[in-house]
């Protein structure tokens, strides 16, 4: 069978997927049979939005991210079945299966603007079909090679740009065949005129945000180990700090912790997300996160810092470090008890956060430098900024 067949009963869909290409690295060999069963209201609502008989690629196109967001609203607290469970098997994460000189050609499934009209700038959620050939773990990144010639090296392709993967290893369709990115379009404004200069806009982010379903995309990776979610302790605390698209890896973590029925992994700890964006319209994946708050109030906390809408206690703009300061006592206690803390987003977020943490440590009579080196030594400190 060259394409997958999807047949739908009233509340269940069974999907069998033909093996079009064997998996590139044998350690990640897949089971090619996928089933969405009635156990999960997430998968049921996904199924209910699919046509009676269609191909899985068509199903992906018909079932947009918007539909998935709607299913967030509809779902009960039961979890979504995922497959193939062999993606849990390897003891080490996949790394650099495809390199810049030997990249993988994947296909764009969907591109959706995920910020409201009052958000400054544009951010898109992009689903990519890798057909199971580019497996990854939550917290890793893909490299993207935009089409065209590298202006600095005539005749050569563009350099690779990295993007944090915003889905779990099972992807937004829970079948291990897609990966999602959360991409902010880089736009250049002339500092003198204040006008946009399209010739200087970011190459790869604009390629991604302008791409259409069915377009080819050259991918490398997956890469990165710093942001992998440690899973040895189901009672662990994970404090996740993001600005803007830095929320991408946390969307993956939180789906794994709260949405997916992952074999042998029942999370009972605390996940605490701090998200800094400009305003309400700039909030990313807010429906999903709000749903976790409702369904898992003892295991999930979510604090937002809206810099253009809220004021900090000194009357200035509310940044993510102001929220950290507000909860610093609790955060320090959690860190002392072994919590993991993650930072992801623009490089510029770190100095303000580090200053705040240092000040709080000093107020508590602690040395921040000593504390930081201990956190690093214990592998509790995870930073990926760009
Ligand atoms: P480029 O073409 O590389 O340009 C870079 C910047 O320079 C742009 O802002 C552009 O407008 C400006 N510019 C271009 N020409 C000129 C000129 N002549 N003068 C002055 N300025 C100019 N980004 C995300 O959106 N989401 C993510 O999840 C994400 N994850 C990342 C993870 C990692 C580990 C890393 C390292 C980076 C990540 N990034 C992410 C950033 C991403 O890799 C790119 O750097 C970003 O999208 C910009 O790439 P670009 O090709 O669009 O811009």
């Amino acid at each position: 069978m060259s394409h997958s067949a999807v047949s739908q009963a009233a509340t269940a869909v069974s999907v069998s997927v033909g093996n079009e290409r064997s998996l590139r690295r044998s350690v990640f060999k897949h089971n090619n049979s996928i089933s969405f069963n009635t156990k999960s209201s997430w998968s049921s609502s996904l199924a209910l939005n699919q046509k009676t008989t269609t191909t899985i690629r068509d199903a992906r196109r018909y079932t947009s991210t918007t539909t998935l967001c709607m299913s967030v609203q509809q779902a009960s607290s039961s979890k979504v079945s995922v497959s193939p469970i062999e993606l849990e098997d390897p003891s080490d994460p996949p790394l650099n299966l495809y390199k810049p000189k030997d990249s993988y050609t994947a296909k764009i499934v969907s591109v959706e603007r995920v910020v409201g009209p009052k958000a400054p700038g544009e951010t898109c959620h992009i689903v990519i079909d890798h057909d199971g050939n580019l497996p990854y773990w939550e917290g890793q990144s893909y490299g993207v090679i935009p089409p065209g010639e590298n202006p600095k090296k005539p005749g050569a392709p563009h350099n690779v740009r990295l993007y944090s993967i915003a889905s779990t290893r099972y992807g937004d369709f829970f079948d291990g065949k897609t990966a999602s990115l959360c991409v902010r379009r880089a736009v250049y404004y002339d500092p003198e005129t204040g006008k946009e200069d399209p010739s200087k806009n970011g190459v790869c982010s604009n390629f991604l945000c302008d791409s259409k379903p069915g377009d080819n995309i050259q991918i490398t990776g997956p890469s990165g180990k710093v942001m992998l979610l440690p899973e040895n302790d189901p009672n662990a605390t994970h404090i996740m700090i993001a600005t803007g698209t830095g929320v991408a890896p946390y969307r993956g973590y939180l789906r794994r912790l709260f949405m997916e029925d992952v074999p042998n992994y029942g999370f009972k700890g605390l996940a605490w997300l701090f998200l800094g964006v400009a305003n309400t319209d700039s909030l990313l994946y807010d429906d999903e996160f709000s749903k976790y708050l409702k369904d898992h109030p003892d295991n999930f906390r979510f604090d937002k810092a809206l810099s253009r809408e809220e004021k900090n206690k000194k009357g200035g703009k509310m940044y993510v470090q102001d929220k950290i300061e507000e909860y610093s006592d609790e955060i320090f206690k959690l860190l002392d008890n072994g919590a993991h803390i993650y930072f992801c987003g623009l490089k510029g977020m770190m100095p303000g956060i580090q200053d705040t943490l240092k000040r709080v440590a000093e107020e508590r009579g602690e040395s921040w430098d000593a504390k930081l080196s201990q956190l690093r030594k214990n592998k509790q400190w995870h930073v990926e900024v760009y």
Side-chain angles (χ1 to χ4, degrees):
M1 192 164 40
S2 62
H3 284 286
S4 319
V6 178
S7 60
Q8 181 184 335
T11 55
V13 171
S14 125
V15 184
S16 62
V17 177
N19 190 6
E20 284 168 53
R21 265 162 288 177
S22 62
L23 195 60
R24 179 146 170 143
R25 303 287 183 268
S26 58
V27 66
F28 292 105
K29 229 173 169 187
H30 280 202
N31 175 347
N32 291 319
S33 131
I34 293 174
S35 74
F36 297 101
N37 61 30
T38 47
K39 215 164 94 193
S40 144
S41 58
W42 288 92
S43 49
S44 302
S45 60
L46 177 65
L48 287 169
N49 286 305
Q50 288 170 336
K51 293 200 169 178
T52 308
T53 301
T54 182
T55 66
I56 192 159
R57 282 202 182 78
D58 289 337
R60 285 180 186 141
R61 288 186 191 123
Y62 296 137
T63 314
S64 69
T65 320
T66 315
T67 314
L68 288 172
C69 289
M70 276 169 56
S71 67
V72 171
Q73 305 291 347
Q74 294 156 3
S76 73
S77 55
S78 59
K79 291 189 171 183
V80 183
S81 298
V82 290
S83 66
I85 55 165
E86 284 73 12
L87 289 177
E88 300 294 319
D89 285 352
S91 53
D92 292 312
L95 273 177
N96 301 316
L97 303 178
Y98 289 86
K99 306 213 166 69
K101 286 203 171 122
D102 181 22
S103 57
Y104 180 76
T105 306
K107 283 223 183 290
I108 298 284
V109 176
S110 60
V111 178
E112 191 196 356
R113 181 186 162 108
V114 282
V115 288
K118 290 189 190 134
E122 181 169 45
T123 304
C124 296
H125 182 78
I126 298 166
V127 182
I128 296 164
D129 183 350
H130 61 78
D131 204 24
N133 294 315
L134 247 171
Y136 56 90
W137 282 6
E138 300 73 24
Q140 290 193 297
S141 301
Y142 270 174
V144 177
I145 307 173
E149 193 176 280
N150 189 334
K152 289 186 186 148
K153 290 186 212 151
H158 280 292
N159 293 338
V160 172
R161 270 72 163 180
L162 294 178
Y163 293 91
S164 306
I165 299 172
S167 47
T168 72
R169 66 192 72 186
Y170 298 101
D172 285 3
F173 299 93
F174 315 111
D175 62 1
K177 288 180 181 282
T178 66
S180 304
L181 307 180
C182 178
V183 178
R184 185 180 165 96
R185 192 190 279 277
V187 179
Y188 182 84
Y189 292 96
D190 187 300
E192 277 172 21
T193 63
K195 288 202 179 122
E196 189 182 328
D197 180 349
S199 70
K200 295 180 182 170
N201 283 351
V203 173
C204 194
S205 57
N206 281 274
F207 157 68
L208 286 166
C209 292
D210 289 335
S211 58
K212 302 276 174 289
D215 285 356
N216 285 344
I217 172 173
Q218 298 306 128
I219 308 271
T220 65
S223 63
K225 280 182 158 184
V226 175
M227 296 292 285
L228 293 174
L229 183 67
E231 296 190 342
N232 49 338
D233 177 8
N235 295 306
T237 296
H238 303 283
I239 303 170
M240 300 164 276
I241 303 181
T243 55
T245 55
V247 78
Y250 310 141
R251 178 180 183 262
Y253 295 177
L254 293 168
R255 286 189 154 226
R256 185 159 172 89
L257 299 178
F258 298 124
M259 187 193 284
E260 294 180 346
D261 189 8
V262 179
N264 308 321
Y265 186 54
F267 180 65
K268 298 187 220 54
L270 173 68
W272 191 353
L273 173 63
F274 290 88
L275 174 58
V277 291
N279 55 22
T280 306
D281 268 20
S282 312
L283 284 167
L284 298 165
Y285 309 115
D286 202 47
D287 285 357
E288 284 186 31
F289 302 153
S290 303
K291 168 100 174 103
Y292 305 141
L293 263 186
K294 193 162 146 274
D295 289 346
H296 305 274
D298 297 334
N299 304 91
F300 182 53
R301 292 175 70 171
F302 182 23
D303 283 281
K304 309 167 197 183
L306 307 176
S307 60
R308 299 194 189 176
E309 277 177 19
E310 296 171 324
K311 296 257 176 282
N312 63 22
K313 65 179 186 201
K314 290 185 196 136
K317 288 181 172 179
M318 175 70 87
Y319 290 116
V320 80
Q321 61 264 30
D322 299 310
K323 281 283 161 195
I324 294 175
E325 187 163 14
E326 197 177 322
Y327 295 103
S328 54
D329 268 340
E330 274 183 273
I331 293 174
F332 272 64
K333 276 184 200 143
L334 290 166
L335 290 174
D336 288 343
N337 287 328
H340 289 273
I341 189 160
Y342 309 82
F343 302 88
C344 191
L346 292 179
K347 258 191 199 108
M349 73 191 269
M350 284 317 280
I353 291 175
Q354 293 256 36
D355 288 350
T356 301
L357 292 171
K358 192 173 166 72
R359 192 174 58 251
V360 171
E362 279 160 8
E363 283 163 12
R364 294 164 60 93
E366 295 178 54
S367 152
W368 174 244
D369 291 344
K371 196 168 190 75
L372 179 58
S373 74
Q374 194 61 43
L375 292 171
R376 285 198 172 119
K377 204 168 140 211
N378 295 348
K379 298 191 165 45
Q380 290 170 256
W381 183 262
H382 312 260
V383 181
E384 188 157 270
V385 289
Y386 41 85

